[in-house]
Amino acid sequence: MSVLGVTAIVVFGVASVVTGWLVFRTDSMVRAAYWLMASFVGVGAMLVTLDSQFLGLILILMMAGEMTIMAIFMVMYMMNPAGLNPMVMVHQHRTAIAAGVGSFLLLATVALVADFPADPAPAGADPTAELGFELLGRSMLVFESAGVALLAVMIGAVAVAGKWGRFGDADAGSVEPPLDPEEAAS
Amino acid sequence: MNPVVSVLFVGGVLGIGAYVVAVLDRAFGPVSRGPRDWFVWPIRRAAFLAVQRRTETERPDAEAWILAPALLAALAAAGLTAVPVTPSLAVADVSAGVVLFGAAMIIVMVAVFLQGWSPNSLFPLIGAYRFAAMALSFGIPFSLVVLTTAIPAESLSVGAIVASQEGLWNVVRQPLGLPVYLVTGAAVAFWGPFRIPEGTDLAGGAVLEASGSARAVWRIARAGVLVTLSVMGAAIFLGGHLGPVLPGWAWTALKTLVLLAVFVWSGHAFARMRVERFVWFGWVVLLPVALVDVFASGILAL
Amino acid sequence: MIELILVFSAAIFGIGVYGALSQQSFVMIMMGLELMINATVLAIVVFWWGTTGGDPRGQLLVVVVLAVMAIEAAMGFALVTAVYRARKADITEKLKRLRN
């Protein structure tokens, strides 16, 4: 890999880790969604550097749409829609930090200690075309299964989120959130 | 291409293109005082915005507000890099070029949302939501018609797509492609009948609070998105640099100019659409038409 | 090179674990899950790039993971909508009682 490639990997890697961290450090829901998108763009750029142009770009394309949907959902359902007020909404904080740091240390140790076989992808090949032939050739069943799963999820998501339910309208008998914070806490 | 030359090339194309858009807009517009005025008006307008005082709002998301126009301009530039202007001259004719273009045009949604959200003001926020609703409706048909042009070429690279139109342009081979592309393209640039997030009923919507240089950059960037859409449309539907007698770059410029004129003209020829009607239109009309386009091209390719 | 990228991947995964466990808001929990999938994609691609000799099945696996990501997002948003309709709940603490 060239010097430029290594530099790009380091820059994008650090950027995607930092922006991923900022997702949970920001006070604004919209910023959180777009920090997450920035993290995905960083990973997408690393994928492009690793000869997987198609996958990297598809990842970015998917995430841009998904993050906007996410921002809309947050403003629809979550508190503090458009503000920058201080916001800490966490539970079991210490356990979560320990789990996060623990999983990082475990995986990083494995990454550094394990001995990986060195068999790099050939330089001259066109991975995009190879992936296309693989998707619609030998591994068509896998690809089609993913498609069928997505179709099932579309139907399932509409069924779950729809206003109608098995026992009448889904919001029948629903409870408005209490306006009094003390009552909300109890 | 050399990196420095690439930056100058992309910047130059977007800058000249944005100026052409402004000139055409004046020419087609309701207030048109002859050719001299067409060419002077954009400069006068830019000079006015350059010295205008910046509006301030209460507790804006300052960083996002500054970055939103820059993001829009960067997306226009990123989309432009994949297009070969002549058979041998492209900034980066990557193997997944149309996917790069599609990704850049989908992220426009993020730029508009940030622009509307960050001033912490009511009408811009409504404009941002309108564009999000709109973008989710036109995103899929737009991506489908762009990717369909890759079927006859058997490659996602824009260079290969242009080369595959040697005998027959995609505008003839995929008759549904270009109309859907023009409609959704105008919607990507929220131009003309789809000026929904910046509608006059919202007193300017997403850009209501933007003034001075921020507004100027936003306008230029939006014209740049329109230029990128036209260059790409010329390449994937009208055969790009292919054509007799004239050199390749001249054909690209000519076809781009035609598409730009259509885009800008549509802004003055049609009334603005309401957002809920556009959402209906996107899912019920554009999406099935785009799917028919995909299936027809697939059958033709077999 | 592989080791370096895997460390980046591990860091993103760790942040995702932290987010998914610590956040109260449903959508923020989903963000944690997304970060974990993001790290997975990166790890798969670097293994494909460095250790498989360019076997396209490595990339195929990423396509499957992207489908999983879409499924996670769609079902997540559907469940958030359903819960909000029934309970007007936006954080996990409001769901302590599963009946009524």
Side-chain angles (χ1 to χ4, degrees):
Chain A
M1 186 174 250
S2 65
V3 180
L4 189 65
V6 175
T7 321
I9 287 284
V10 171
V11 168
F12 289 129
V14 171
S16 54
V17 171
V18 170
T19 48
W21 172 241
L22 286 170
V23 170
F24 302 109
R25 302 304 309 164
T26 175
D27 287 335
S28 152
M29 291 287 190
V30 172
R31 277 195 186 185
Y34 288 133
W35 278 131
L36 183 56
M37 195 192 94
S39 179
F40 273 101
V41 171
V43 170
M46 285 165 92
L47 261 49
V48 171
T49 319
L50 294 173
D51 298 335
S52 313
Q53 288 173 354
F54 177 73
L55 292 175
L57 292 168
I58 279 288
L59 184 74
I60 295 172
L61 196 151
M62 265 182 67
M63 278 310 118
E66 194 181 331
M67 285 312 120
T68 300
I69 297 174
M70 215 166 222
I72 292 173
F73 266 78
M74 294 221 261
V75 183
M76 269 163 69
Y77 295 144
M78 306 296 142
M79 52 180 281
N80 183 17
L84 276 170
N85 296 336
M87 174 183 83
V88 180
M89 290 176 71
V90 290
H91 52 194
Q92 51 188 7
H93 203 207
R94 287 198 185 143
T95 323
I97 292 175
V101 173
S103 53
F104 165 67
L105 288 179
L106 187 70
L107 290 171
T109 316
V110 171
L112 292 177
V113 172
D115 199 12
F116 300 113
D119 185 7
D126 182 0
T128 309
E130 277 180 22
L131 174 64
F133 286 121
E134 179 74 29
L135 281 178
L136 295 176
R138 195 164 43 152
S139 304
M140 200 171 199
L141 187 63
V142 181
F143 185 49
E144 293 298 324
S145 315
V148 172
L150 283 171
L151 178 65
V153 163
M154 272 193 255
I155 298 168
V158 171
V160 168
K163 191 166 161 40
W164 61 92
R166 274 175 298 173
F167 310 110
D169 276 359
D171 55 354
S174 68
V175 201
E176 286 291 328
L179 290 173
D180 180 16
E182 306 236 324
E183 194 191 335
S186 64
Chain B
M1 202 193 263
N2 182 308
V4 180
V5 180
S6 305
V7 170
L8 288 177
F9 172 75
V10 169
V13 169
L14 287 182
I16 295 169
Y19 180 68
V20 171
V21 169
V23 169
L24 286 173
D25 198 33
R26 188 70 170 173
F28 286 121
V31 192
S32 169
R33 299 200 193 91
R36 188 166 166 274
D37 174 58
W38 301 346
F39 288 97
V40 173
W41 180 77
I43 299 167
R44 200 186 299 148
R45 180 81 189 146
F48 166 72
L49 284 175
V51 296
Q52 190 187 28
R53 190 191 159 131
R54 297 284 296 272
T55 329
E56 281 166 24
T57 57
E58 189 184 347
R59 303 203 64 190
D61 188 340
E63 293 87 351
W65 206 8
I66 293 169
L67 285 176
L71 177 61
L72 193 65
L75 293 171
L80 194 59
T81 53
V83 188
V85 180
T86 68
S88 58
L89 180 78
V91 174
D93 191 7
V94 291
S95 72
V98 282
V99 184
L100 170 69
F101 170 74
M105 290 300 115
I106 293 298
I107 301 182
V108 166
M109 163 159 77
V110 174
V112 179
F113 193 86
L114 280 179
Q115 171 75 6
W117 178 77
S118 51
N120 195 15
S121 171
L122 179 63
F123 283 158
L125 187 64
I126 298 176
Y129 279 128
R130 282 186 176 184
F131 192 69
M134 226 177 106
L136 298 176
S137 321
F138 70 64
I140 297 171
F142 177 76
S143 311
L144 281 180
V145 291
V146 170
L147 290 176
T148 304
T149 58
I151 294 178
E154 298 180 355
S155 166
L156 290 168
S157 138
V158 184
I161 291 176
V162 173
S164 76
Q165 302 176 64
E166 189 73 62
L168 189 61
W169 290 359
N170 273 340
V171 66
V172 183
R173 192 157 41 186
Q174 303 174 349
L176 295 174
L178 188 61
V180 176
Y181 181 83
L182 286 176
V183 171
T184 51
V188 167
F190 42 104
W191 190 275
F194 311 112
R195 192 173 285 197
I196 294 170
E198 295 187 355
T200 39
D201 55 334
L202 288 179
V207 287
L208 167 61
E209 303 286 0
S211 56
S213 51
R215 197 187 188 101
V217 174
W218 181 258
R219 284 276 172 257
I220 293 170
R222 191 174 74 143
V225 172
L226 212 56
V227 172
T228 299
L229 285 163
S230 302
V231 174
M232 187 52 115
I236 61 178
F237 289 110
L238 299 179
H241 52 70
L242 300 176
V245 188
L246 293 173
W249 62 265
W251 277 112
T252 305
L254 203 63
K255 290 165 181 172
T256 304
L257 201 62
V258 169
L259 285 184
L260 262 186
V262 171
F263 273 130
V264 176
W265 167 80
S266 76
H268 298 287
F270 299 104
R272 182 165 45 76
M273 218 170 182
R274 285 218 318 264
V275 65
E276 69 270 27
R277 236 177 242 173
F278 180 83
V279 170
W280 177 87
F281 180 64
W283 289 105
V284 179
V285 179
L286 290 179
L287 182 59
V289 171
L291 283 173
V292 169
D293 184 40
V294 174
F295 291 135
S297 313
I299 290 167
L300 210 65
L302 290 176
Chain C
M1 204 62 226
I2 296 177
E3 287 80 4
L4 176 69
I5 298 171
L6 283 176
V7 169
F8 283 135
S9 164
I12 297 173
F13 192 86
I15 296 168
V17 168
Y18 160 75
L21 287 178
S22 72
Q23 297 294 315
Q24 291 180 312
S25 159
F26 295 126
V27 182
M28 295 294 275
I29 293 175
M30 281 171 64
M31 292 200 174
L33 297 177
E34 300 264 329
L35 272 177
M36 281 148 76
I37 299 178
N38 194 11
T40 317
V41 167
L42 182 58
I44 295 172
V45 169
V46 74
F47 280 129
W48 166 81
W49 174 79
T51 64
T52 63
D55 188 335
R57 278 175 295 183
Q59 296 213 329
L60 175 78
L61 189 54
V62 178
V63 173
V64 174
V65 171
L66 288 181
V68 168
M69 194 185 247
I71 290 169
E72 178 256 341
M75 279 326 277
F77 285 131
L79 288 172
V80 171
T81 305
V83 164
Y84 189 80
R85 271 194 207 286
R87 272 328 147 68
K88 298 280 182 282
D90 60 351
I91 61 171
T92 48
E93 264 72 5
K94 289 194 183 163
L95 293 184
K96 276 190 176 150
R97 286 173 308 152
L98 287 174
R99 283 179 66 82
N100 293 323

